[in-house]
Amino acid sequence: MAASMRVAARIAEMSDDELAAFRERLRADPETRETIASDLADAHRNLADMLAVIEIAERRLEVVKQDERCRCDC
């Protein structure tokens, strides 16, 4: 997971010149292009999984907060 996120972060941080050079390298090397595409797909899935976990945690925390409010109101 960490490797795919590092790849995504590195691409996101590239300057226009770095991105142009990277694009040329990918055009010349289909195997690397496939690897990068796979890494980005993995990063996307990992991000979706992390967001789902965060949403569940937020809902559970809200239930706990609601329970605490009910206890205080009683």
Side-chain angles (χ1 to χ4, degrees):
M1 172 164 64
S4 60
M5 295 300 278
R6 282 193 300 274
V7 169
R10 176 66 183 116
I11 292 170
E13 294 171 350
M14 287 181 179
S15 69
D16 290 344
D17 291 339
E18 289 173 317
L19 194 54
F22 182 68
R23 187 179 310 123
E24 290 304 315
R25 283 195 309 271
L26 291 182
R27 284 186 185 141
D29 187 354
E31 186 175 323
T32 299
R33 185 174 53 238
E34 292 290 324
T35 300
I36 296 295
S38 176
D39 284 347
L40 292 176
D42 287 346
H44 189 267
R45 281 189 298 276
N46 291 335
L47 181 57
D49 291 347
M50 285 190 285
L51 288 173
V53 168
I54 290 167
E55 289 173 357
I56 291 167
E58 287 175 337
R59 286 193 302 268
R60 288 184 175 179
L61 181 58
E62 191 55 41
V63 168
V64 169
K65 288 179 181 178
Q66 187 65 29
D67 286 348
E68 288 299 314
R69 283 192 287 264
C70 288
R71 286 184 192 159
C72 292
D73 292 342
C74 296

